[in-house]
């Protein structure tokens, strides 16, 4: 069975990310999530040099054909690595400071649309879900993990309220080898009726994907990495697609900007601890109705952006690996 053709990935909140990063000719910008290169294209067109990361070998292979990779010196440098390794990878390339870091976390349309990658519950494919096409797969997890661990993943990363029921059904149906089988087991456990507005398998698939790829840990480490490599005045822009990720970004920026919880909303915010590494971020930016109409996949996106201060980075040891 040949996989269905993948629809091109339409970059989300592109104009807003460009406005937040404001890349100038000669700037050095990190695109932590190359994907189909929508952001990278815009940064290159603005005259910047881009160091782009993606853990998906298919994404990197497509990027290798871009003419900017063959300029002398190259204006596009591709890193087939996890973005949590940003600091080390840039250091290996002789880069210690950058002007901007963009992140657009989650999966690309190409990954979602190709049944063989095993991310989609709407098309039948092998139960894989690895972005990097290596390491333990979703099948390894659902077939090998204890029921309680599966329930925890579904609850913590999918916010699935019936996580125990679904985990029990998964264990009873083992071994599961395809996305279709897993989707059916989840739907049956939750009493899904075709035609219901949202497929209940959505939450379980999201949870297992986040677990298999260690996505939340990756995000936290990459935010610390960005703090370490951004110059004073450099800009960070992060687009995320669900509340767990957005919470991490929001909390990171809040901590980095030096805000601690207020005893009362009538009292000023206290700043204690290390000097703020980012200026107080502006409000979260959401796609316009027009963008959501053009690109329904934008509907759950949130952009948060902030400007780096001159303070030394916190958490240096977490980036040492
Ligand atoms: C939403 S897409 C990015 C789309 C891109 N902004 C564009 O306009 O084409 C996310 C990409 O990030 C990659 N990715 C996700 N997590 C990653 C990580 N921890 N390290 C490296 N790449 C990652 C995925 O493989 C995917 O290709």
């Amino acid at each position: 069975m040949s996989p269905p053709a993948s629809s091109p990935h339409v970059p989300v909140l592109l104009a807003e990310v460009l406005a937040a990063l404001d890349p100038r000719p000669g700037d050095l910008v990190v695109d932590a999530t190359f994907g189909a290169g929508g952001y990278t294209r815009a940064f290159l067109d603005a005259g910047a040099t881009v160091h782009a990361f993606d853990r998906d070998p298919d994404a990197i292979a497509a990027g290798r054909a871009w003419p900017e990779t063959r300029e002398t010196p190259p204006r596009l440098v591709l890193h087939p690595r996890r973005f949590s390794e940003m600091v080390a990878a840039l250091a290996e390339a002789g880069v210690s400071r950058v002007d901007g870091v963009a992140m657009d976390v989650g999966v690309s349309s190409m990954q979602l649309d190709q049944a063989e990658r095993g991310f989609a519950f709407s098309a039948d494919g092998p139960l894989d879900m690895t972005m990097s096409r290596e390491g333990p797969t979703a099948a390894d997890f659902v077939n090998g993990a204890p029921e309680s661990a599966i329930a925890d993943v579904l609850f913590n990363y999918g916010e699935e309220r019936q996580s125990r029921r679904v985990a029990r059904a998964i264990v009873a149906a083992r071994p599961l080898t395809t996305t279709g089988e897993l989707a059916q087991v989840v739907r049956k456990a939750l009493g899904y009726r075709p035609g219901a507005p949202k497929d209940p398998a959505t939450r379980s698939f999201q949870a297992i994907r986040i677990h298999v790829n260690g996505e939340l840990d990756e995000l936290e480490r990459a935010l610390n990495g960005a703090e370490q490599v951004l110059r004073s005045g450099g800009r960070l822009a992060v687009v995320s697609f669900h509340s767990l990720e957005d919470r991490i970004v929001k909390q990171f920026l809040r901590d980095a900007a030096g805000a601690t919880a207020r005893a009362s909303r009538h009292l000023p915010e206290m700043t204690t601890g290390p000097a703020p590494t980012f200026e107080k971020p502006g409000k979260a930016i959401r796609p316009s109705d027009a963008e959501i109409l053009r690109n329904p996949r934008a509907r759950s996106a949130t952009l948060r952006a902030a400007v780096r201060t001159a303070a030394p980075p916190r958490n240096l040891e977490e980036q040492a690996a």
Side-chain angles (χ1 to χ4, degrees), residues 260-305:
T260 54
R262 273 181 284 186
S264 153
R265 65 192 172 85
H266 303 295
L267 293 173
E269 276 178 1
M270 305 274 291
T271 52
T272 54
T277 48
F278 281 90
E279 291 173 16
K280 204 162 176 274
K283 280 207 162 58
I285 296 172
R286 308 255 308 125
S288 64
D289 291 345
E291 175 168 3
I292 295 171
L293 208 62
R294 269 198 322 274
N295 180 16
R297 280 182 181 164
R299 69 185 173 279
S300 46
T302 304
L303 164 65
R304 293 187 188 270

Side-chain angles (χ1 to χ4, degrees), residues 115-238:
E116 56 158 37
R117 300 299 305 266
F119 287 101
F121 53 82
S122 48
D124 206 12
L127 204 42
D128 185 319
M129 298 197 201
T130 58
M131 289 183 186
S132 41
R133 288 185 177 269
E134 61 181 22
T137 63
D140 293 329
F141 175 64
V142 297
N143 293 322
E147 188 177 315
S148 59
I150 296 175
D152 287 348
V153 163
L154 299 180
F155 185 75
N156 292 328
Y157 300 153
E159 299 176 285
E160 174 55 70
R161 278 180 295 169
Q162 305 212 52
S163 54
R164 297 199 179 287
R165 176 193 289 257
V166 177
R168 204 176 315 128
I170 287 174
V171 169
R174 297 203 286 214
L176 293 166
T177 56
T178 69
T179 53
E181 284 169 9
L182 176 62
Q184 271 314 106
V185 168
V186 177
R187 288 177 188 136
K188 199 163 161 228
L190 296 175
Y192 174 60
R193 278 182 207 87
K198 194 173 175 188
D199 191 322
T202 313
R203 294 188 294 275
S204 294
F205 270 65
Q206 171 190 299
I208 294 169
R209 190 201 91 202
I210 288 176
H211 172 73
V212 164
N213 294 288
E215 289 179 44
L216 302 186
D217 188 47
E218 278 290 305
L219 177 58
E220 282 184 18
R221 296 185 63 197
L223 291 169
N224 282 312
E227 178 174 320
Q228 200 167 319
V229 295
L230 277 169
R231 68 164 168 82
S232 169
R235 291 146 181 258
L236 171 67
V238 186

